């Protein structure tokens, strides 16, 4: 399951996730989680959880792994991603563990700046590690200067170099998930 940290339809990270989906091909089911309708985390509406929250929890629960694709906003990952993770970090009831617990996770990102989402990824690793996700720390993919990889229609063109890195990460994550399920 891919979780993109931007809600923008033309998001570079969404485009990167779609490129990863092509690389994975038929070797695994690969979905992008849609979560634009998830409300802000609010304990007043936590139980019973809103329908959108139930839907994303079910998607995460049924996934064998979570691949995050995050932009970097002010050296951090976006608030919408933090909000989603806040909802996913809470158990559905007193008998269940949160759906992120022990899930394999990988992280990629592309940004306009020179850090290529490295700082945002480090913050995200801190959070999801605290939530007991099983993080594949290497390889991680950080792509800087996104504007240099866009065609005239604002579509991402990875080129051989970044395509090779994304393919390497996809292969590693598929193996990581496989080992996790043994």
């Amino acid at each position: 399951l891919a979780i993109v940290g931007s809600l923008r339809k033309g998001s570079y990270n969404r485009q990167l996730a779609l490129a990863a989906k092509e690389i994975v091909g038929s070797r695994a089911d690969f979905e992008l989680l849609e979560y634009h309708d998830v409300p802000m985390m609010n304990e007043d509406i936590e139980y019973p959880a809103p329908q959108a929250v139930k839907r994303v929890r079910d998607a995460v629960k049924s996934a064998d792994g979570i691949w995050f694709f995050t932009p970097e906003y002010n050296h951090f990952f976006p608030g919408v991603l933090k909000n989603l993770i806040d909802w996913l970090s809470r158990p559905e009831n007193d008998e269940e563990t949160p759906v992120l617990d022990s899930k394999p996770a990988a992280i990629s990102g592309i940004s306009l700046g020179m850090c290529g989402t490295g700082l945002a990824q480090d913050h995200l690793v801190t959070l999801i590690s605290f939530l007991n996700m099983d993080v594949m720390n290497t390889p991680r993919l950080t792509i800087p200067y996104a504007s240099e990889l866009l065609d005239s229609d604002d579509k991402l063109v990875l080129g051989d170099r970044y395509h090779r890195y994304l393919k390497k990460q996809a292969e590693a994550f598929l193996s990581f998930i496989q080992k996790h399920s043994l």
Side-chain angles (χ1 to χ4, degrees), residues 12-13 15-16 19 110 143 146 149-151 154-158:
Y12 308 135
N13 282 280
Q15 292 181 55
L16 185 62
I110 183 170
I143 302 175
L149 302 174
L150 303 175
D151 66 14
D154 217 25
K155 299 294 180 212
L156 185 62
V157 180
L158 288 177

Side-chain angles (χ1 to χ4, degrees), residues 17-30 67 166-167 169-171 173-174:
L18 291 172
K21 181 178 182 171
E22 281 185 33
I23 289 170
V24 168
S26 62
R27 293 178 292 163
D29 292 331
F30 188 110
W67 193 344
L166 184 61
K167 184 176 181 182
Q169 189 181 29
E171 301 294 335
F173 194 43
L174 288 172

Side-chain angles (χ1 to χ4, degrees), residues 8-106:
R8 187 171 67 89
K9 287 180 182 157
S11 158
Y12 308 135
N13 282 280
R14 177 176 291 278
Q15 292 181 55
L16 185 62
L18 291 172
K21 181 178 182 171
E22 281 185 33
I23 289 170
V24 168
S26 62
R27 293 178 292 163
D29 292 331
F30 188 110
E31 282 183 55
L32 269 72
L33 182 68
E34 299 297 339
Y35 63 96
H36 64 278
D37 55 343
V38 171
M40 292 301 292
M41 176 59 192
N42 179 342
E43 290 179 348
D44 290 340
I45 62 170
E46 187 173 6
Y47 300 107
Q51 191 58 41
V53 172
K54 290 178 186 176
R55 179 182 49 76
V56 298
R57 279 182 178 153
D58 288 345
V60 169
K61 193 184 299 184
S62 68
D64 293 321
I66 307 297
W67 193 344
F68 293 95
F69 295 84
T70 187
E72 185 166 298
Y73 297 169
N74 298 317
H75 294 302
F76 220 84
F77 57 88
V80 295
L81 181 54
K82 175 65 166 78
N83 182 63
L84 176 67
I85 292 170
D86 285 345
W87 275 109
L88 296 173
S89 73
R90 308 290 283 228
E92 295 178 57
N93 57 53
D94 291 338
E95 284 92 47
E96 293 193 18
T97 59
V99 296
L100 295 176
D101 190 63
S102 300
K103 284 282 181 191

Side-chain angles (χ1 to χ4, degrees), residues 132-148:
N132 202 35
M133 292 190 81
D134 189 6
V135 181
M136 182 183 80
N137 284 303
T138 58
R140 276 201 259 158
L141 180 60
T142 60
I143 302 175
Y145 305 120
S147 60
E148 295 176 5

